[in-house]
Amino acid sequence: MKEIKEKIDQSNNIIIVGHVNPDGDTVGAGLALLLGLEKKYPEKRIDFVLQDDVPKNIAFLKGCDRIKKIEDVINPNYDLAIFVDSATIERVGKVAKLIGDIFKINIDHHISNPKYGDINIVKDISSTSEIMYSILKDLDIEITLEMGEAIYLGLVNDTGNFAHSNVTDKTFLVASELMRIGVNNNKIVNDFFKTKSYERMKVLGKALSEMVFVEEKKLMYFYLSFEALKNLNAIKDDTEGIVEELINYSGSEVSLFLREEESGKIKGSLRSKHDIDVNKIAGIFGGGGHIKAAGFTTELSSEEIIKKVVENL
């Protein structure tokens, strides 16, 4: 942490970046860091930049209006980049163009992370937000309610509201400390999990009515074409949570959700209920993540993807 503090002290123009299709952990960890660094270093220029919009069910967090998109950056002359929740540099998408060869700090919790930073804080724990809580403490930054809400949402996102096996006693301690400073658990959970658009409900309905179960592999999967997404007047934001719904079937051990993008590429999300390592399966397609939750993007067809997944289960 001493080296990180020294590097932040020495830098005047800092960019915080997170992965494409940002989720609650990416936004939570990055936003908490943005607010914390702005508080401690008001004289520095600090930007949190994402390729994609903040999802609608996350945008209620105070400070989200401070998050920039790549087209909002006028002068990309940064001297320090801090990656949050990004398993590879490529995961930040077009934002990588703003970074180039500047010094990189890599803060992440994905076991597939190759430690691409000049400084790496990569831990196999619940979320990047849990790591960020400790980093802010180590930087002697007092965590405000706004920072606490961002971190808490990150915890809730990546633990499935504390239901996943990545939860430890330390995760609960962090959550407890955040509630002590005023974070409202009920509000965060309701705003994040229980506020869905009409289009999102329609997409979920389609998934539940058209999902396919491969009994011998205990695999439940669903493929959503880009055309079908548009026909529902939905956006990719509206597909969040589908892979978690698919794993809920009592007979499934693994779930797979495939979504075609406008480019024709397919984004895959995998979940494991018990002992199957989906990180290895995602690795077949150049992706990664965790043993029980992983993802990838590929140019293969949906039929080819499903065939390879079934063969490797």
Side-chain angles (χ1 to χ4, degrees):
M1 279 307 303
K2 182 181 178 182
E3 191 178 359
I4 288 180
K5 187 177 186 304
E6 288 176 352
K7 197 63 191 176
I8 293 173
D9 287 341
Q10 295 164 5
S11 303
N12 293 313
N13 298 283
I14 301 170
I15 182 171
I16 302 166
V17 298
H19 63 71
V20 297
N21 303 315
D23 61 6
D25 191 29
T26 306
V27 175
L31 181 57
L33 181 60
L34 171 69
L35 297 174
L37 293 182
E38 285 183 334
K39 180 181 179 183
K40 188 174 180 67
Y41 303 98
E43 75 285 358
K44 297 182 186 293
R45 173 198 177 197
I46 303 163
D47 291 337
F48 180 19
V49 184
L50 296 171
Q51 174 182 296
D52 301 311
D53 291 325
V54 174
K56 289 176 283 188
N57 65 328
I58 296 173
F60 69 87
L61 287 175
K62 292 179 181 176
C64 274
D65 58 335
R66 301 271 294 105
I67 300 173
K68 296 182 177 181
K69 293 184 67 177
I70 190 167
E71 52 267 28
D72 300 325
V73 178
I74 299 171
N75 177 19
N77 187 27
Y78 299 105
D79 45 26
L80 174 64
I82 305 177
F83 289 72
V84 297
D85 199 38
S86 301
T88 64
I89 291 177
E90 293 73 24
R91 283 288 286 146
V92 305
K94 297 176 183 177
V95 181
K97 297 176 182 177
L98 302 177
I99 297 167
D101 296 326
I102 64 175
F103 197 93
K104 300 173 181 65
I105 298 174
N106 169 25
I107 304 170
D108 190 29
H109 74 125
H110 295 96
I111 59 173
S112 60
N113 191 301
K115 299 185 178 179
Y116 54 82
D118 298 290
I119 299 175
N120 299 284
I121 301 181
V122 180
K123 299 180 181 179
D124 184 17
I125 61 176
S126 75
S127 57
T128 303
S129 293
E130 184 176 339
I131 299 173
M132 193 58 68
Y133 175 85
S134 299
I135 288 174
L136 292 173
K137 287 284 190 180
D138 290 340
L139 290 173
D140 294 321
I141 295 174
E142 181 183 358
I143 296 176
T144 63
L145 178 59
E146 289 76 18
M147 288 183 244
E149 288 177 336
I151 293 171
Y152 196 89
L153 189 141
L155 294 179
V156 165
N157 183 106
D158 270 25
T159 62
N161 199 18
F162 306 101
H164 297 165
S165 60
N166 58 4
V167 176
T168 67
D169 58 333
K170 292 181 181 178
T171 312
F172 282 118
L173 284 173
V174 171
S176 175
E177 284 298 306
L178 295 175
M179 292 183 70
R180 187 181 61 79
I181 66 172
V183 172
N184 186 325
N185 167 71
N186 181 256
K187 181 181 184 302
I188 296 291
V189 171
N190 278 331
D191 286 351
F192 179 56
F193 280 121
K194 299 181 180 179
T195 304
K196 296 179 172 65
S197 68
Y198 177 76
E199 292 78 14
R200 189 168 184 171
M201 299 292 284
K202 293 285 285 185
V203 171
L204 177 58
K206 184 177 180 64
L208 296 179
S209 64
E210 297 180 10
M211 60 188 181
V212 178
F213 186 55
V214 183
E215 188 170 3
E216 63 273 21
K217 299 293 184 176
K218 297 184 179 180
L219 167 69
M220 184 69 81
Y221 72 84
F222 171 64
Y223 167 63
L224 182 68
S225 69
F226 182 73
E227 182 181 4
L229 183 72
K230 287 302 177 185
N231 287 341
L232 292 168
N233 294 317
I235 58 176
K236 60 185 178 182
D237 218 27
D238 296 315
T239 66
E240 290 299 316
I242 287 179
V243 70
E244 283 83 10
E245 291 292 341
L246 297 176
I247 197 69
N248 285 337
Y249 171 54
S250 61
S252 67
E253 287 293 327
V254 177
S255 64
L256 170 66
F257 171 52
L258 301 175
R259 176 178 57 79
E260 183 186 25
E261 299 184 331
E262 188 172 7
S263 65
K265 292 182 180 180
I266 292 179
K267 183 181 185 301
S269 298
L270 288 153
R271 296 293 183 270
S272 172
K273 189 177 289 181
H274 294 114
D275 302 321
I276 296 173
D277 185 352
V278 293
N279 178 59
K280 288 183 178 180
I281 296 174
I284 297 168
F285 307 98
H290 309 282
I291 291 174
K292 294 191 175 182
F296 59 87
T297 301
T298 178
E299 294 183 353
L300 295 176
S301 68
S302 60
E303 293 82 6
E304 290 173 304
I305 297 168
I306 294 163
K307 183 174 183 292
K308 283 181 177 290
V309 171
V310 169
E311 287 174 349
N312 286 275
L313 279 175

